Amino acid sequence: MPTIRTIIYFPFRLIQRFIRPLSSTFNLLLARVIWVLWILRSLQRSKANDSSSTRFSSPNEGRLIQQSSGNTIQYFLHLATPSSSLRTPANILLLTGLGRENTDANLTAWVEYLTTDRVGDCGEQVFNLCMVNYPGYGGTSGRTRRHQTTEEQILANLATVLDIIKWQEEETTIIGISYGSFVAVSALSILSRPPKALILISPGLRIRSVLLTSEVPLGLDRLRRAFLALCACLGASEALAFNTRAALSALNARSGKPPIYALHGTEDENIPVECSRELKRIYRPFHLTEVLGAGHANTRFGEAQKVIWRILGSLAGGDGYVPPERVVCAPRKRGHAAD
């Protein structure tokens, strides 16, 4: 019966056998490096797989759709109460970034963020708000690893939710944050009519480039992070085909296309502001507001928050608001809606 030592060192011996023609010193060094990277990759994968069942403490919050295939989709829906003194509630589909599941607390925070008048000159606004958990997050079936989730699966889940809530597409505004901006643009392909507008916060060009750059921070573990990011990037090449540049290039030639409003921090190291500038060059109408000094997805507070509020007020009232090209960043305050 093999011992634990034999089992642990089996990959190391196997690698040595395949590269035996090389010099013994280089052979040993290379084998050990590959073995260490293999162990680190296995640990990372194991941690990600375990997170889908232990990470989320409240999978029963929100609303669950049980499909005949056995899969579940979790979404959160806030319906505003119509009032004779207010405008008809607008519909907002909010697509957040990765890293955490949506909860009732997130929904409440976003409703407060969107409906509390912090500007003072936009009038009172009310919104219906919908948020959908991505595969592997919260009560939605699937895997949290990006290279194990397909674009088709994400869009199919969105289509199922939209079919249930039955919002008029032309009266719906889609807000996409970071990763959600890729989903927002791709979601146009599942709509029969263009939405009222897209609001993109820190949008990127291609998901593969974002996976590689956003997962390689400075630090002592740069080599390990770089290796894991490269694996994620290669694995996502087919599964996640999000390509905002190509999608908007094709959409730009069509009639009836929705306006796009983008906010992007000038100090964003995950998705550089040049990405939004490139999208502005290939798509019209594309209104870009650069938030001076802001980092990744930290563009929803202070003056930037006023811009978002005025955009939503303009879409509801049709006053033709044109956002400024630049605003100054404000520090994020505790208690605001999560990304």
Side-chain angles (χ1 to χ4, degrees):
M1 182 175 179
T3 63
I4 296 179
R5 180 183 178 88
T6 303
I7 295 175
I8 293 177
Y9 277 90
F10 174 74
F12 171 65
R13 300 300 181 190
L14 187 63
I15 294 171
Q16 275 189 316
R17 187 171 185 178
F18 277 105
I19 58 178
R20 192 179 298 278
L22 301 176
S23 64
S24 58
T25 302
F26 181 74
N27 179 0
L28 182 63
L29 178 62
L30 182 61
R32 287 182 175 176
V33 169
I34 296 177
W35 176 64
V36 169
L37 294 177
W38 179 80
I39 292 294
L40 292 174
R41 177 60 175 163
S42 299
L43 291 175
Q44 182 78 6
R45 182 181 302 159
S46 175
K47 180 179 179 182
N49 291 341
D50 292 342
S51 68
S52 61
S53 59
T54 62
R55 176 180 178 181
F56 310 108
S57 58
S58 54
N60 295 323
E61 294 180 352
R63 308 184 184 200
L64 288 178
I65 302 172
Q66 189 71 43
Q67 298 180 304
S68 58
S69 61
N71 294 330
T72 58
I73 305 172
Q74 185 184 36
Y75 71 101
F76 299 81
L77 185 64
H78 166 80
L79 297 177
T81 303
S83 172
S84 58
S85 61
L86 300 175
R87 300 167 178 161
T88 302
N91 301 324
I92 297 180
L93 174 62
L94 179 62
L95 303 170
T96 58
L98 289 181
R100 67 180 69 186
E101 78 276 22
N102 293 316
T103 64
D104 283 337
N106 288 99
L107 181 70
T108 301
W110 272 104
V111 170
E112 179 183 358
Y113 175 87
L114 293 172
T115 59
T116 302
D117 190 353
R118 296 187 177 92
V119 180
D121 59 355
C122 290
E124 195 168 4
Q125 303 179 59
V126 289
F127 301 96
N128 299 322
L129 180 65
C130 180
M131 304 167 66
V132 183
N133 268 329
Y134 299 124
Y137 288 84
T140 300
S141 303
R143 309 293 286 273
T144 59
R145 296 300 299 172
R146 274 157 279 190
H147 63 283
Q148 295 172 336
T149 301
T150 64
E151 180 179 356
E152 290 75 15
Q153 182 181 4
I154 294 174
L155 295 181
N157 288 355
L158 282 180
T160 300
V161 172
L162 291 175
D163 185 59
I164 289 177
I165 63 179
K166 299 187 182 304
W167 283 354
Q168 292 185 356
E169 296 169 342
E170 64 273 15
E171 296 299 325
T172 300
T173 298
I174 303 178
I175 300 179
I177 305 173
S178 185
Y179 180 85
S181 67
F182 292 100
V183 183
V185 173
S186 293
L188 297 176
S189 63
I190 65 174
L191 302 179
S192 58
R193 293 181 296 274
K196 178 170 287 188
L198 267 66
I199 300 177
L200 307 180
I201 299 176
S202 301
L205 299 177
R206 299 178 61 205
I207 190 62
R208 291 189 64 196
S209 59
V210 173
L211 286 177
L212 188 57
T213 58
S214 64
E215 297 190 9
V216 189
L218 295 175
L220 297 178
D221 61 343
R222 184 182 180 90
L223 177 61
R224 180 181 69 86
R225 292 295 187 93
F227 172 74
L228 296 178
L230 180 61
C231 291
C233 178
L234 294 176
S237 59
E238 296 297 332
L240 283 178
F242 291 124
N243 190 329
T244 300
R245 179 200 282 122
L248 291 186
S249 295
L251 185 64
N252 190 50
R254 302 178 185 176
S255 59
K257 55 191 177 182
I260 295 180
Y261 301 87
L263 291 91
H264 211 132
T266 58
E267 303 300 322
D268 192 333
E269 296 182 353
N270 290 359
I271 306 178
V273 68
E274 286 76 13
C275 294
S276 286
R277 295 170 182 168
E278 173 67 16
L279 295 177
K280 183 178 180 180
R281 285 192 289 268
I282 64 177
Y283 186 86
R284 293 289 187 276
F286 192 101
H287 306 281
L288 172 61
T289 298
E290 298 183 12
V291 186
L292 304 179
H296 182 63
N298 187 23
T299 56
R300 296 182 282 105
F301 311 101
E303 294 298 319
Q305 182 176 3
K306 294 181 181 180
V307 171
I308 295 177
W309 242 79
R310 290 192 174 108
I311 292 173
L312 293 174
S314 175
L315 294 174
D319 59 4
Y321 169 70
V322 177
E325 295 184 355
R326 292 177 181 84
V327 295
V328 178
C329 172
R332 177 171 176 166
K333 299 180 180 180
R334 298 179 63 182
H336 281 292
D339 294 342

